[in-house]
Amino acid sequence: NLWLKEPPLYSAELVSLVLINVNISSLTYFHYQGIQAVGNITKNQTILTLLYLSAIVLFYISFKFGANFYWAMYINIFISCLIVANGLYFARKLFSYDISYFLKNIIGRLLVVVAISFLAIMPIIIYQPQTFMRLILTFIVSSVSIVITAFLLLFTKDERYSLINFVRGFIKYRKRN
């Protein structure tokens, strides 16, 4: 028995925007570890602080002019993109990180995975009424499409081989026990 008979209006869109923001924010997590390991973090931290503070100011301004709650997420996504750009800039500056490699092999492939997943769920979004069953179906189809396309496009040959061997070993172990 669900605690809500119907999901709140626009909840799917809000969850999607939150997930987009979380994924954008996680793109340069390891770059920032490298930046901190180098030890020259004053300029980077100053820019990050200004970006976070600017988000608060932009939230206030947008709500003051009557913007809806989506604008908070749009602003957050925009600030997250600036934070990614900042991380890439300092990674390149401090330890010669190859930004073109990152854009081609990480962002480019990731966008293909997202596009395929989006195309896989479009028929569900178009033809299914907005119900709990649609939510479950969308979750299953998008999860399966992301796992398959990520396996094929994001993993290297060696990573795919290691993962297959791990799964085989796990299955053999479970059969014995």
Side-chain angles (χ1 to χ4, degrees):
N1 195 8
L2 294 175
W3 66 279
L4 288 174
K5 295 202 187 276
E6 289 184 32
L9 196 60
Y10 306 115
S11 59
E13 291 85 355
L14 182 62
V15 169
S16 296
L17 290 172
V18 169
L19 290 174
I20 288 168
N21 188 55
V22 167
N23 283 303
I24 290 171
S25 297
S26 68
L27 288 174
T28 55
Y29 175 75
F30 294 105
H31 298 122
Y32 280 107
Q33 287 185 336
I35 292 165
Q36 290 180 353
V38 171
N40 189 359
I41 62 171
T42 305
K43 288 180 185 176
N44 175 51
Q45 287 302 119
T46 302
I47 292 171
L48 285 176
T49 301
L50 290 173
L51 287 171
Y52 287 123
L53 290 174
S54 69
I56 295 169
V57 171
L58 290 172
F59 293 155
Y60 177 79
I61 292 169
S62 67
F63 291 142
K64 189 75 172 168
F65 284 105
N68 63 21
F69 67 93
Y70 283 131
W71 276 96
M73 287 310 306
Y74 298 143
I75 291 167
N76 219 11
I77 289 170
F78 176 72
I79 296 296
S80 292
C81 290
L82 293 177
I83 289 170
V84 167
N86 179 66
L88 291 173
Y89 169 77
F90 278 100
R92 180 176 181 174
K93 182 179 177 181
L94 296 175
F95 52 89
S96 302
Y97 186 76
D98 187 357
I99 294 174
S100 63
Y101 176 85
F102 176 77
L103 293 174
K104 179 182 174 191
N105 292 304
I106 307 298
I107 301 298
R109 290 180 179 188
L110 190 59
L111 289 175
V112 171
V113 170
V114 169
I116 290 170
S117 175
F118 180 73
L119 291 173
I121 64 169
M122 278 309 295
I124 298 167
I125 292 170
I126 292 171
Y127 296 114
Q128 289 290 321
Q130 196 168 0
T131 62
F132 184 70
M133 185 52 82
R134 173 179 152 177
L135 173 68
I136 298 297
L137 192 57
T138 302
F139 173 76
I140 291 169
V141 171
S142 62
S143 297
V144 168
S145 67
I146 288 171
V147 167
I148 291 170
T149 55
F151 180 79
L152 296 173
L153 296 175
L154 298 180
F155 288 25
T156 65
K157 183 179 178 182
D158 291 337
E159 290 169 335
R160 286 192 297 268
Y161 180 75
S162 295
L163 185 60
I164 290 169
N165 283 336
F166 174 79
V167 170
R168 284 180 182 158
F170 182 76
I171 291 170
K172 285 179 185 177
Y173 173 78
R174 296 295 295 171
K175 283 182 180 180
R176 285 185 283 179
N177 294 330

